[in-house]
Each structure stands twice: as C-alpha cells, then as structure tokens.
Amino acid sequence: MFKVFFGGSFDPVHIGHLIVARDVLEQLRAESIVFIPAFQSPLKEPHVATPKERLEMLSLAVEQEKGFEVSSLEIERGGTSYTVDTAQELFNALGERPTFLVGADSIMTLHLWKDPQKLTKIAKFVIADRYAKAQEVRSYMSSAFPNLKEGEDYMILSTRNIDVSSTEIRKRIREGRSIKWLVPERVEKYILQKGIYIRER
C-alpha cells in the first residue's frame, strides 16, 4: 500500500478536488490521498485565504472521509512551495519515490517547474485526465522527458470532470451567490462565518 500526495492552492477546496481524489484512491487502491496545501504556489497569484484558513478548510472537508489525510508540510516550511522541495522531504522520510497526483493540464507545464529533472528522478506522478487528454500528455512527456516511462515513472488515469473551480467559488461569494453543493457543508459554513472571499485581498 502506498500514499498519493495531492498538492495545490485549495483556495478553497471544492467537490472537484475531492471527487478526483476519490476516483484516484479507488482506481489505485492506495492507502490514502494526502492533501498538501501550498504556502504559496509558484505559478499562481498570492492566495486569498491565509495558509491557516486553507489548511483548516481542508481538514474540515476530509475529517470524516476514510482514505483522505491533510499534511501541513508546505505551510510549515513557508516561502514558495516548490514540488521538488516537498518531494525531497518526502523521499528522505519514506526512503522511496513519493507519488504525486497532478492534473493533465498542470503536468504539461512540468518543464517550467523548479528543477524538473531532479523532481522526475525522486518522484512519480499519477496524472488525472479529466478532459480526455491522454494522447496529448503522452506526446508532451515523450518530447519533454523522453527518459520517463509510462507505467513506471508516471501513469495516466481517466477521472470524472467536475466543472467547478476555486476562482468561480470566490467570485460567487463576492457577488453574494450561493456556493451550496460546490464545497462540503462544513467548508461552506467556515467560509461564511469567517467572511473569507467577501473581497479579494
């Protein structure tokens, strides 16, 4: 049994994140999916919710879900959250290459990530293909990272496409519209009680 690590902004976590994670957990029969909220994602604008708030929302979202965990590793480390740094920490702790869950669109920017050659040596990837982009991903990987082998260094899994985004949720809150069913009920209550996303910071 092995764990799959799922990094991201989670600003906020929503049902799309959770359903993809559940699909991957079941298809791989993994021990657990470990959500790792970034302190600051390198390829994104500054997050709206604080690191503590995003960590708390994730904890509320998964606290009663078997097979889901949350790690504060990147938040405790602070600074820009580079996957290669997280992979190195996990590699040192586990004594083997950690497996990261990444979306098909994100993996096709892998050449832009910090130290991608080192990262691909110390980590493996599960690529969630929500938009039937498997051939596109294979073409990209064979061109950008010809040394990596499908089935060994990365695998592509077809997952459901839930058309929800954190950007849309933040916009709905600013406009005073409902986010019911887009996020877990506990997360919705937390956001509304705290007044998060009422205005972009």
Side-chain angles (χ1 to χ4, degrees):
M1 294 288 277
F2 64 101
K3 297 186 178 190
V4 177
F5 298 92
F6 187 7
S9 306
F10 303 114
D11 193 18
V13 60
H14 55 66
I15 60 162
H17 296 129
L18 300 170
I19 290 171
V20 166
R22 177 65 65 194
D23 279 350
V24 171
L25 182 76
E26 291 177 351
Q27 287 187 56
L28 294 182
R29 293 188 172 91
E31 178 186 340
S32 64
I33 304 289
V34 183
F35 294 81
I36 307 179
F39 185 84
Q40 173 58 51
S41 298
L43 299 178
K44 293 196 175 179
E45 295 292 315
H47 307 308
V48 180
T50 66
K52 183 181 176 184
E53 287 169 341
R54 289 182 288 110
L55 185 66
E56 183 65 25
M57 285 188 280
L58 264 172
S59 298
L60 289 169
V62 310
E63 67 182 359
Q64 294 179 2
E65 293 299 317
K66 186 179 178 184
F68 284 176
E69 301 176 41
V70 179
S71 167
S72 59
L73 187 153
E74 291 188 346
I75 285 175
E76 287 173 15
R77 192 170 67 228
T80 304
S81 301
Y82 294 110
T83 304
V84 68
D85 297 335
T86 302
Q88 187 66 66
E89 280 195 54
L90 292 170
F91 182 86
N92 293 344
L94 299 170
E96 61 184 21
R97 295 164 78 190
T99 300
F100 286 89
L101 171 56
V102 184
D105 287 335
S106 294
I107 203 69
M108 288 190 285
T109 66
L110 185 57
H111 61 288
L112 301 174
W113 298 17
K114 181 183 176 184
D115 210 345
Q117 295 301 333
K118 177 183 176 184
L119 174 59
T120 53
K121 283 179 184 171
I122 60 173
K124 297 188 281 189
F125 297 94
V126 172
I127 301 164
D129 180 20
R130 296 184 297 152
Y131 303 108
K133 290 188 172 183
Q135 278 310 116
E136 221 178 305
V137 170
R138 286 188 183 101
S139 177
Y140 167 79
M141 294 299 277
S142 63
S143 170
F145 300 93
N147 56 312
L148 301 185
K149 294 179 181 173
E150 185 175 357
E152 200 173 302
D153 302 300
Y154 69 93
M155 67 175 73
I156 303 170
L157 289 185
S158 178
T159 60
R160 282 172 289 185
N161 176 23
I162 309 299
D163 190 17
V164 179
S165 74
S166 297
T167 302
E168 176 200 1
I169 290 167
R170 296 196 302 268
K171 184 171 185 285
R172 291 182 69 87
I173 291 169
R174 289 199 311 275
E175 293 172 353
R177 293 191 287 159
S178 173
I179 57 168
K180 193 176 183 66
W181 299 308
L182 300 178
V183 299
E185 187 177 352
R186 292 184 200 88
V187 174
E188 179 189 14
K189 285 180 179 175
Y190 181 87
I191 288 171
L192 298 179
Q193 284 171 359
K194 289 267 190 176
I196 309 171
Y197 309 122
I198 296 297
R199 63 183 70 83
E200 296 280 350
R201 291 175 185 162

